Amino acid sequence: MKRKTRRLIIYSGALIIVLFAGILMAEVLSIITHKKVDTSEGMKILQAADSADSKEIEEKMEKLAEKQQNSEEASKEDMAGNYKAVFEDSVVMGDSISGALTEYDLLNACSVVSKIGVELDDLDSQVEKVKEINPQVIFLSYGINDIPATDGDVKLFVKEYETLIKKLQKQLPNTRIFVNSIFPVRLEKAKEEPVYANLEEYNKALSSMCDENQIGFIDNTALVSDSYYEDDGVHFKAAFYPYWLARMAEVASL
């Protein structure tokens, strides 16, 4: 009898912790997705915990955990489908890596200004286009083409990037600007083109430049893994882009 009572107390305590965590997570998700999540079932189980036996508590815990997992997965899907709305007043400027955001139908065409193979010294037309859009937020994502173009000259790269930022600030003084780090390439690509071995130095210099100019720097290095690369070791599969969008939205508080 004492063992059963002790076991009931343990299960009840665990249930209370799980339920409170689940209810809190549900409320947070409802705020993020603007979709009301029903927590009444969890509250009912919590209120009935004192009168339930251990087996009944176990069964209810398992069912609630399964339901909570399904709810979280559905909320993630809702968020993924909502990026067009999240970025409706923003523009991502960049090269072909950024261009994939519209190719994969994650953002509207008016939220992406990109060109395949573009370099920092050839962006006048992009700046003019962004000026016409007049967004509240600009996310810059350049560098993968500039590393070979500058042939390891980090100072030249930073100078060109800073020139771009000043142009945008002059044309759009009320727009917030964020700079994305240069995405790493796959190890095999770095061996194939040794100039990319210096990529980390480019990012360090880029981060320092942003600090000096009080520009938000978004370090995306940790987002990348081998499974996300296309065969060329530079571009990314569709599965990668929601993580990047979530990272930008988080840093910019969209």
Side-chain angles (χ1 to χ4, degrees):
M1 185 66 182
K2 287 183 179 180
R3 289 183 180 178
K4 183 177 181 180
T5 301
R6 187 181 301 112
R7 189 168 54 193
L8 179 58
I9 292 173
I10 293 172
Y11 282 133
S12 297
L15 174 62
I16 291 171
I17 294 172
V18 170
L19 287 173
F20 271 126
I23 292 168
L24 180 59
M25 178 63 73
E27 293 299 331
V28 170
L29 288 170
S30 69
I31 292 172
I32 294 174
T33 62
H34 305 291
K35 181 179 179 181
K36 184 61 179 175
V37 179
D38 185 12
T39 60
S40 59
E41 183 175 346
M43 291 301 297
K44 288 178 181 177
I45 297 175
L46 186 60
Q47 291 166 357
D50 289 338
S51 59
D53 60 32
S54 59
K55 185 178 180 180
E56 184 180 355
I57 290 175
E58 284 183 88
E59 292 175 353
K60 289 184 177 181
M61 285 175 66
E62 290 175 0
K63 290 180 180 178
L64 186 63
E66 182 180 353
K67 186 174 182 179
Q68 181 181 330
Q69 182 179 356
N70 293 336
S71 177
E72 289 175 5
E73 290 175 356
S75 296
K76 288 179 181 178
E77 291 177 2
D78 289 344
M79 186 62 183
N82 198 38
Y83 283 124
K84 290 181 179 180
V86 172
F87 283 79
E88 64 180 351
D89 295 318
S90 304
V91 166
V92 180
M93 294 179 65
D95 46 40
S96 54
I97 293 177
S98 301
L101 290 165
T102 54
E103 292 178 13
Y104 292 130
D105 197 30
L106 290 166
L107 294 184
N108 292 316
C110 60
S111 292
V112 180
V113 176
S114 65
K115 182 181 178 182
I116 296 174
V118 75
E119 297 168 13
L120 286 166
D121 61 355
D122 186 29
L123 295 175
D124 288 344
S125 60
Q126 286 197 13
V127 171
E128 286 301 313
K129 186 173 182 179
V130 173
K131 180 184 175 183
E132 293 175 6
I133 298 172
N134 191 25
Q136 294 180 9
V137 183
I138 295 174
F139 297 96
L140 303 177
S141 184
Y142 298 99
I144 202 66
N145 300 312
D146 295 280
I147 291 178
T150 56
D151 194 26
D153 191 338
V154 177
K155 290 184 178 180
L156 175 59
F157 168 73
V158 169
K159 182 180 178 181
E160 290 179 344
Y161 220 125
E162 193 169 21
T163 299
L164 168 63
I165 291 172
K166 291 188 182 303
K167 283 182 181 179
L168 290 169
Q169 289 175 326
K170 183 178 180 180
Q171 298 288 352
L172 299 163
N174 297 318
T175 298
R176 293 190 296 148
I177 298 174
F178 294 86
V179 173
N180 282 282
S181 62
I182 307 171
F183 290 110
V185 298
R186 186 178 273 161
L187 182 60
E188 290 81 358
K189 182 67 175 180
K191 291 180 179 178
E192 179 184 326
E193 297 187 40
V195 69
Y196 285 118
N198 204 26
L199 191 150
E200 187 176 345
E201 293 303 314
Y202 276 74
N203 273 332
K204 287 180 179 178
L206 190 57
S207 176
S208 296
M209 183 273 290
C210 288
D211 287 342
E212 293 171 4
N213 289 276
Q214 296 184 323
I215 298 293
F217 180 74
I218 306 174
D219 189 352
N220 299 302
T221 306
L223 298 179
V224 181
S225 67
D226 277 357
S227 63
Y228 291 131
Y229 285 111
E230 294 284 6
D231 292 339
D232 64 3
V234 175
H235 296 87
F236 299 102
K237 299 176 181 178
F240 167 75
Y241 285 91
Y243 294 100
W244 182 27
L245 287 171
R247 175 66 175 155
M248 288 191 285
E250 176 189 14
V251 173
S253 299
L254 296 184

